[in-house]
Amino acid sequence: VIVQAGASEAGRQLAAETAEAVFTAQNSIAQAKQFYADVKGRMEKLGRARDHMKILPACFVVVGETMEEARAKRAKLDSLVDYANAIASLSIALGADASKFYPDGSLPDTPETNQGKSARERAIAMAQRENLTVRPAPRRLRRPCHGRYAEDHRRRDGRMADGGRLRRVHHHVPYLPGGLDDFVGKVVPELQRRGIFRHEYEGKTLRENLGLPRPRNRFF
Amino acid sequence: MSGSRQLKLGAFMRPASIHTGAWRYPGAFSDANFNFAHQKRFIQTLERGKFDAYFMADHLAVLNMRIDALKRSHTATSFEPFTLLSALAAVTERIGLVATGSTTFDAPYHVARRFASLDHIGNGRAGWNIVTTSNPDAALNFGLTEHVAHDERYPAPASSTTWSPACGIPGPTTPSSATWTPASTSIRKSFTCSTTRARITRSAARSTSPARSRAGP
């Protein structure tokens, strides 16, 4: 199974040509829809069936019995990040040395570099939209996933699925092993109870489970 | 259990989690980067939860951070992904095994052979996350002194990747035409990647890239 993750112009085109699964992170539902339509549209132009690619948006899930507990866990986790390390991570996203920025000043616009393009664009767009300063920027880049917040659903994945739009999720585990144990022990059974996630694997191969067709043998 | 309302779940994994503070969270395995028993526990938990795929992200160099930041990082480096995923294939049955494979430095044959092997070891569970490498320090690990430009890392729009028989990995669209030779100082090298028919020009100029300067000594 071919997977692709870059969201630059070249990355989208490569995905449309080759990918059967795409990992992506978008700032908003509107941008995610635009990305989805763009990549699937490129596939069609190339003569590929739209359904032969599954797009998996990133979803950073912190599980709590209540929203307050989940937020407290997230705050605890963020508080454990070393400042120099956070700024270094931001530098990698931007392709520029963020340690030279004033921590409480606005995140400056930085020129495009030879490194990854979409991570930089996402960081700058978010900083401009939210008037973000440098210090909290790294943790804002890893936000919980979007979804429709309705009723008393205590788990974010349930909300997303209830929104009716999200059918594939790339789960970013917040901390190990606890964050993973909570997801598998609490969220998965809830998704299964709602009838939106499998109880058993459908197939034996990754391709079968994702619902992707087997490529034709082109040699013999 | 099929239809458009069904969720598909993949897990984006780093050895100690993707969050840079996670290795300090209560109960965390701070030695997870080089502890196979922990990675085995994680993937078996995911399989119990019927996840479609386990994806281990990878970098071809130590993170390009200053040493003071690197010392406080969750993962400076970790297992080579094919070694890890082959071992994990042996302790799981159904979950997909997705590895990052960069086309920036390897010949198509290297990449194709590794994924074909992993796919057969795991009985059809391998996935290839196609990437180009953006960490400028990685170039140094391959005998280059300057990083490959973004547009040159990606194939030309007219490229095509087609499929090999059993395992769904890309194979050459034309008879193999890789002509890559190791770069040397001040000589402009190029090679043609037959998988994508991308012509990637490697510049091996003497200058040090700005990003490398930033990374410090």
Side-chain angles (χ1 to χ4, degrees):
Chain A
V1 173
I2 305 298
V3 182
Q4 191 277 342
S8 67
E9 171 65 27
R12 289 175 185 215
Q13 189 62 27
L14 180 66
E17 290 172 14
T18 66
E20 300 173 280
V22 168
F23 300 154
T24 184
Q26 303 287 329
N27 272 339
S28 67
I29 288 177
Q31 283 174 17
K33 281 183 179 171
Q34 192 276 335
F35 176 81
Y36 185 98
D38 179 56
V39 175
K40 295 270 178 165
R42 289 174 193 239
M43 278 181 88
E44 276 187 334
K45 277 188 198 146
L46 292 159
R48 290 185 68 200
R50 290 170 73 96
D51 197 37
H52 292 181
M53 177 204 287
K54 312 296 177 188
I55 297 182
L56 291 92
C59 181
F60 185 88
V61 183
V62 180
V63 180
E65 290 299 321
T66 61
M67 273 308 284
E68 291 66 38
E69 187 187 299
R71 286 203 182 99
K73 284 182 174 178
R74 176 67 197 265
K76 165 89 176 164
L77 187 58
D78 287 343
S79 75
L80 296 171
V81 176
D82 178 74
Y83 183 72
N85 183 265
I87 291 301
S89 300
L90 181 64
S91 299
I92 290 175
L94 294 174
D97 185 358
S99 71
K100 294 198 168 70
F101 303 159
Y102 177 56
D104 296 312
S106 299
L107 189 70
D109 199 354
T110 52
E112 193 166 280
T113 72
N114 188 28
Q115 297 189 52
K117 289 185 188 301
S118 50
R120 173 188 155 274
E121 284 165 12
R122 202 159 56 88
I124 290 174
M126 179 179 289
Q128 288 175 346
R129 195 175 60 241
E130 301 183 11
N131 264 331
L132 215 54
T133 59
V134 172
R135 196 186 300 273
R139 84 174 76 117
R140 293 291 291 121
L141 293 178
R142 189 156 296 127
R143 302 203 300 183
C145 39
H146 299 279
R148 179 188 291 174
Y149 287 71
E151 302 170 21
D152 182 25
H153 299 151
R154 57 189 179 173
R155 289 154 191 147
R156 291 188 176 127
D157 255 30
R159 291 195 185 91
M160 295 183 68
D162 282 355
R165 307 190 185 289
L166 204 71
R167 302 192 181 107
R168 340 219 173 261
V169 174
H170 208 213
H171 176 45
H172 290 208
V173 184
Y175 53 91
L176 290 163
L180 177 57
D181 291 346
D182 281 350
F183 190 88
V184 169
K186 296 176 180 172
V187 179
V188 168
E190 178 67 14
L191 297 174
Q192 289 169 332
R193 192 187 64 75
R194 295 180 191 197
I196 53 174
F197 189 58
R198 65 164 71 91
H199 289 268
E200 288 301 331
Y201 286 104
E202 296 85 3
K204 290 184 173 177
T205 66
L206 174 59
R207 184 174 293 288
E208 287 166 358
N209 286 320
L210 285 175
L212 292 165
R214 185 171 171 144
R216 210 158 46 88
N217 186 332
R218 65 194 173 84
F219 292 112
F220 54 83
Chain B
M1 291 296 285
S2 64
S4 60
R5 288 285 295 165
Q6 290 297 305
L7 273 171
K8 300 288 181 194
L9 286 175
F12 188 118
M13 299 295 285
R14 292 297 289 137
S17 145
I18 194 166
H19 194 285
T20 56
W23 63 281
R24 301 172 67 200
Y25 199 83
F29 304 137
S30 56
D31 64 340
N33 287 316
F34 289 103
N35 187 319
F36 179 71
H38 295 328
Q39 302 310 317
K40 177 179 163 185
R41 179 195 195 279
F42 299 153
I43 197 169
Q44 289 180 335
T45 303
L46 288 164
E47 190 168 63
R48 204 164 57 244
K50 314 298 175 194
F51 269 65
D52 288 82
Y54 166 104
F55 163 56
M56 179 57 82
D58 185 47
H59 304 279
L60 288 174
V62 168
L63 283 178
N64 58 331
M65 290 181 179
R66 294 153 53 108
I67 194 71
D68 58 331
L70 202 59
K71 280 196 297 195
R72 310 293 287 170
S73 181
H74 54 326
T75 298
T77 187
S78 182
F79 293 121
E80 186 284 314
F82 289 89
T83 319
L84 174 66
L85 289 185
S86 297
L88 293 175
V91 297
T92 51
E93 296 286 331
R94 288 287 185 272
I95 191 168
L97 306 158
V98 182
T100 292
S102 174
T103 59
T104 302
F105 304 108
D106 281 337
Y109 179 75
H110 289 128
V111 180
R113 190 179 189 205
R114 284 179 206 133
F115 278 102
S117 293
L118 179 63
D119 201 52
H120 284 292
I121 289 169
N123 294 314
R125 292 187 287 144
W128 173 21
N129 176 38
I130 301 183
V131 304
T132 66
T133 299
S134 63
N135 180 347
D137 286 0
L140 302 175
N141 284 343
F142 291 87
L144 303 171
T145 53
E146 187 180 80
H147 196 54
V148 183
H150 183 278
D151 288 345
E152 291 172 357
R153 295 200 302 267
Y154 279 87
S159 69
S160 63
T161 300
T162 53
W163 312 95
S164 75
C167 28
I169 57 156
T173 54
T174 57
S176 178
S177 57
T179 56
W180 178 55
T181 47
S184 60
T185 311
S186 299
I187 300 173
R188 202 164 176 80
K189 300 283 183 186
S190 68
F191 75 99
T192 304
C193 168
S194 59
T195 304
T196 56
R197 291 193 208 150
R199 186 168 175 79
I200 300 176
T201 305
R202 294 183 171 217
S203 170
R206 210 179 281 111
S207 64
T208 305
S209 74
R212 173 62 194 159
S213 315
R214 190 192 78 233

